[in-house]
């Protein structure tokens, strides 16, 4: 099964979790329905907190997604390592090795990454960490094809 992955990246205090809540309307780990621009709905398994901050390794996250049989997943990642877990690039490498499809990644509160991602990955930068979540969500939804 191919997983369709939606990622937000940033360091601490860049509104990753707030942006997830704004995009989904939920405030805790669970699957929710997201309406697409064409009117169709998809179920999206949603993590609120960055995987590193939550203490979830790449391998553990992949197992979690496989066990739950989730096909659409939204999660934040830290750019740099945190709490003994690797940087965002390492997570992305694991996901690509699993054959997961990665939608354009939104990087919050930065104008570059300290590493190069695969050429298959499109990154968009939202530089202002104080930009209202509603504006971030509007831009992100448009790119991801969400209503």
């Amino acid at each position: 099964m191919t997983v369709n992955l939606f990622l937000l990246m940033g360091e601490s205090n860049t509104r990753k979790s707030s942006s997830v809540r704004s995009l989904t309307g939920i405030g805790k780990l669970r699957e929710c329905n997201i309406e697409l621009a064409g009117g169709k709905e998809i179920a999206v398994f949603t993590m609120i907190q960055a995987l590193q901050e939550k203490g979830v390794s790449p391998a553990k996250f992949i197992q979690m997604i496989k066990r739950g049989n989730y096909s659409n997943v939204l999660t934040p990642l830290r750019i740099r390592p945190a709490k003994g877990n690797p940087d965002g690039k390492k997570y992305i490498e694991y996901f690509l090795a699993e054959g997961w499809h990665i939608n354009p990644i939104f990087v919050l509160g930065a104008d570059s990454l300290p590493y190069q991602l695969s050429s298959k990955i499109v990154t968009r930068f939202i530089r202002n960490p104080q930009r209202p979540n509603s504006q971030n969500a509007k831009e992100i939804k448009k790119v991801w094809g969400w209503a």
Side-chain angles (χ1 to χ4, degrees):
M1 172 186 70
T2 299
V3 172
N4 189 29
L5 188 60
F6 302 94
L7 294 173
L8 299 177
M9 293 180 74
E11 293 303 343
S12 63
N13 300 314
T14 55
R15 302 179 134 190
K16 297 178 304 297
S17 297
S18 301
S19 294
V20 169
R21 287 190 291 272
S22 185
L23 285 163
T24 62
I26 64 171
K28 62 182 179 177
L29 169 81
R30 71 180 182 99
E31 195 170 33
C32 65
N33 289 329
I34 299 292
E35 184 179 353
L36 301 178
K40 179 182 168 189
E41 280 192 358
I42 58 171
V44 178
F45 178 74
T46 304
M47 297 284 293
I48 304 299
Q49 194 175 11
L51 295 177
Q52 296 98 323
E53 295 164 0
K54 189 84 171 155
V56 179
S57 70
K60 185 177 177 182
F61 186 66
I62 289 167
Q63 288 175 344
M64 181 187 312
I65 299 309
K66 285 181 177 179
R67 221 174 313 132
N69 200 30
Y70 301 114
S71 56
N72 298 292
V73 177
L74 166 61
T75 189
L77 289 173
R78 291 281 292 267
I79 293 170
R80 291 183 172 77
K83 295 190 176 182
N85 288 294
D87 62 25
K89 179 181 182 181
K90 183 60 76 178
Y91 281 82
I92 292 167
E93 288 170 351
Y94 270 83
F95 302 153
L96 288 172
E98 287 293 315
W100 291 9
H101 169 74
I102 300 178
N103 288 282
I105 297 171
F106 280 86
V107 181
L108 306 177
D111 56 9
S112 66
L113 292 170
Y115 40 72
Q116 291 284 5
L117 295 175
S118 164
S119 60
K120 299 176 186 177
I121 305 294
V122 175
T123 50
R124 303 269 180 126
F125 295 90
I126 298 178
R127 293 163 180 80
N128 181 356
Q130 300 309 315
R131 184 177 177 200
N133 289 327
S134 59
Q135 286 182 340
N136 289 349
K138 184 177 179 180
E139 180 178 343
I140 293 166
K141 284 179 176 184
K142 182 177 180 182
V143 171
W144 286 350
W146 295 10

